[in-house]
Amino acid sequence: MKKETEFQQVFETRNSYANRQFVIYVLEKPEQPHFRVGISVGKKIGNAVARNWVKRRVRQSITELKPQLKQDADFLVIARPTVAGKSQAETKAYLSHALKLAHLLDND
């Protein structure tokens, strides 16, 4: 998702799940053939370099988890400041935990 209206549509559902590192907002779309994701990293994370670093790690984690993700939903991933400075493996573990809480990740 790239447009602000799409972000707002998911955000306004108020269907959220969270852990200490991420907040996930979910909008179910049964007619949709594949999931769409939006990533938001606020200024509390740090400067632009730090925020982009976190976004890259989140994107990579989602790519690795793609086969296990529920396909008929839009979701927002909002990073909390505690995720800054974490390794790729830690980021993926925290994100997969949040996605499981949101019932977007199949339990394997």
Side-chain angles (χ1 to χ4, degrees), residues 1-11 13 24-40 58-59 62-63 66 69-78 99 104:
M1 295 184 307
K2 294 183 180 179
K3 298 179 183 173
E4 184 182 350
T5 54
E6 294 171 336
F7 272 74
Q8 287 301 321
Q9 189 178 17
V10 176
F11 186 69
T13 63
I24 311 283
Y25 283 89
V26 181
L27 174 63
E28 299 289 332
K29 288 196 165 181
E31 72 282 353
Q32 190 167 275
H34 56 83
F35 71 86
R36 298 186 312 164
V37 64
I39 301 169
S40 176
V58 170
R59 250 186 248 116
I62 289 171
T63 301
K66 188 175 181 177
L69 284 169
K70 189 175 175 184
Q71 298 296 311
D72 59 348
D74 285 352
F75 60 96
L76 291 178
V77 176
I78 300 173
L99 291 169
L104 291 171

Side-chain angles (χ1 to χ4, degrees), residues 10-107:
V10 176
F11 186 69
E12 288 170 359
T13 63
R14 303 215 184 277
N15 190 10
S16 68
Y17 306 88
N19 61 13
R20 290 178 188 253
Q21 288 73 26
F22 295 101
V23 179
I24 311 283
Y25 283 89
V26 181
L27 174 63
E28 299 289 332
K29 288 196 165 181
E31 72 282 353
Q32 190 167 275
H34 56 83
F35 71 86
R36 298 186 312 164
V37 64
I39 301 169
S40 176
V41 180
K43 289 189 175 182
K44 288 184 180 181
I45 300 279
N47 61 13
V49 174
R51 292 192 304 270
N52 286 328
W53 188 253
V54 170
K55 279 189 257 184
R56 272 189 240 118
R57 288 176 184 251
V58 170
R59 250 186 248 116
Q60 179 61 35
S61 298
I62 289 171
T63 301
E64 292 173 8
L65 295 169
K66 188 175 181 177
Q68 302 165 12
L69 284 169
K70 189 175 175 184
Q71 298 296 311
D72 59 348
D74 285 352
F75 60 96
L76 291 178
V77 176
I78 300 173
R80 290 184 166 171
T82 56
V83 80
K86 302 291 184 199
S87 70
Q88 174 62 38
E90 290 173 316
T91 302
K92 182 179 175 184
Y94 294 136
L95 183 60
S96 63
H97 176 258
L99 291 169
K100 283 179 186 174
L101 290 174
H103 306 291
L104 291 171
L105 194 63
D106 294 334
N107 294 330

